[in-house]
Amino acid sequence: MTQESPPAAAMRVVAEPARIAEVRRAVREQLRVWGREDLAPAAALCVTEILANVHRHAGSPECELTLDDLAAEGVRATVSDRSPVLPVPAPGPPDWAAERGRGLHLIAAAAHRWGVRPTPDGKQVWVVLR
């Protein structure tokens, strides 16, 4: 008998700085429901950085966040937005004192793996956390 993963949790999000704390709380709560509280700090960091990029670069703050419990593989968080522009990490090591340019480096450090995939109406940025 195989164990099925819980259903995905999806939410519409407005990537505005004043709302990001609310999204972090929702992510932490969903991970608690799934018994994955240990992943909450990394998930909150990654989702915050992705939403900050949506706010700064996507042209519209409206996006969708989906969380999937992948059982033994971990948890995947995916943010979908309507911008076709794919994020690219800044070259070289990050300037940790700078106000910008560190987000994708932080995501790479916190996530087991991450990536970007174009979609017909924009893109998805995803992370897998273990």
Side-chain angles (χ1 to χ4, degrees):
M1 183 172 180
T2 61
Q3 180 181 0
E4 290 186 32
S5 296
M11 61 189 90
R12 293 256 177 234
V13 175
V14 177
E16 295 289 347
R19 293 181 154 177
I20 291 178
E22 176 184 325
V23 176
R24 282 194 300 263
R25 281 191 295 276
V27 167
R28 285 188 181 107
E29 176 59 20
Q30 184 61 55
L31 294 178
R32 186 195 65 72
V33 167
W34 287 341
R36 302 291 206 133
E37 298 96 332
D38 57 319
L39 300 177
L45 172 74
C46 291
V47 167
T48 297
E49 293 301 326
I50 296 169
L51 293 177
N53 281 346
V54 170
H55 174 72
R56 287 187 185 117
H57 305 293
S60 169
E62 295 178 8
C63 56
E64 182 173 25
L65 169 63
T66 305
L67 300 171
D68 295 286
D69 187 338
L70 305 174
E73 189 178 343
V75 169
R76 180 178 52 224
T78 305
V79 175
S80 304
D81 67 49
R82 295 195 175 274
S83 172
V85 179
L86 305 181
V88 177
D95 177 356
W96 296 109
E99 189 172 315
R100 295 184 179 181
R102 304 180 312 258
L104 295 178
H105 293 285
L106 289 168
I107 289 168
H112 177 67
R113 63 181 196 272
W114 74 279
V116 181
R117 66 182 149 249
T119 64
D121 62 348
K123 70 176 167 301
Q124 294 179 331
V125 179
W126 56 269
V127 296
V128 172
L129 306 157
R130 285 190 178 167

